[in-house]
Amino acid sequence: MIKNFIVVFVTLVLGLSTFAQKVEVRPYTIATTFEKYNKEYPFIEQIQSFASENVIAEEDIVYKKTATSNLKLDIYCPKISSEEKWPAVLLIHGGGWISGSKENLRILAQHLAESGFVAITAAYRLSMEAVYPAGVIDIKDALRWMRSNAENYNIDSKRIAILGTSAGAQLATLVGVTPNTKIYNELDEAISSEVQAIVNIDGIVSFIHPEASAEGKVAELWLDGSRDENPKNWKEASPLEYVDKNTPPILFINSSRPRFHAGRDDMIKILNKNNIYSEVHTLKDSPHSFWLLQPWFQPTLAYTVSFLNKIFKE
């Protein structure tokens, strides 16, 4: 059994206030996810590394330098000799805004590249390094990096999707519904942070929705205080607050755990009212983090490719 975890005492000085608490940070990887669920689901298997002659990989490219770290991304491109422009997908890992890594989504990105997409997995600042909205701004900067380097990787800048898992799905959805906004000081940016499609894999879309009551200490750390202490951040970081006629099409792939659906149904009502395409697929009897395990990885990939083909290729 994996017993190693780090108990971290965190003190974040923000302006004139100090937010301190004890946080338990556990490794969040494919292997630890398998170990967590293996007893409850004895038939599961870890997803395996994927290599294809049809995919070109460039890994650990620095896309942004901050005061505390160099943020990196991995790129997986279809190996085609033509000058054809490809739709692209930016993948955002989960881990409660406090753990996880871009490597968790490498296998999914490789499969997406095999299916004809430029797939990019990006790191972002987690809450132990910088609280909200740092990670949101990082992801928007990753999108700008993609557009700035579109010619180098045959990316079609008018066909970019963002995909996230768990906390990464909340982030991906938030980025997808807040393009080029003053909320994140983007109005003077020359390059757009807009996306044309969103894939939300088991991530909440509202921190203030009744179903989100289970969001606790890790959300408090990332949002710089509890819901009562800092209601502004809890509301501002909720994608549901921004859904309107300009929201791009969205795919929801969900586990059987209701707490990770917070705000989804209300979001779909707004999308329907504005005639915006959406899909919802719930994987029966699946745990959270199902995308890191077989037999659920395969339908997750299939739903994602089908949706993206419908939006970008049909």
Side-chain angles (χ1 to χ4, degrees), residues 228-256:
D228 292 334
E229 292 167 337
N230 198 340
K232 173 186 174 292
N233 280 3
W234 285 68
K235 182 176 181 179
E236 187 176 277
S238 297
L240 183 60
E241 300 298 309
Y242 309 98
V243 182
D244 59 18
K245 64 181 181 180
N246 298 311
T247 297
I250 184 166
L251 165 66
F252 290 96
I253 307 175
N254 286 123
S255 69
S256 58

Side-chain angles (χ1 to χ4, degrees), residues 203-238:
I204 68 170
V205 295
S206 176
F207 286 104
I208 59 176
H209 197 277
E211 294 173 358
S213 58
E215 299 303 324
K217 293 296 183 184
V218 289
E220 290 179 18
L221 178 59
W222 183 57
L223 294 170
D224 188 25
S226 68
R227 195 180 316 195
D228 292 334
E229 292 167 337
N230 198 340
K232 173 186 174 292
N233 280 3
W234 285 68
K235 182 176 181 179
E236 187 176 277
S238 297

Side-chain angles (χ1 to χ4, degrees), residues 61 79 94 103 148 168 189-190 203 296:
I61 299 170
K79 188 177 182 180
E103 285 73 22
S148 296
E189 295 286 352
W296 302 292

Side-chain angles (χ1 to χ4, degrees), residues 7 11 38 46 72 157 224 310:
V7 178
T11 302
N38 190 34
Q46 297 182 52
K72 299 178 180 180
S157 292
D224 188 25
K310 184 170 296 185

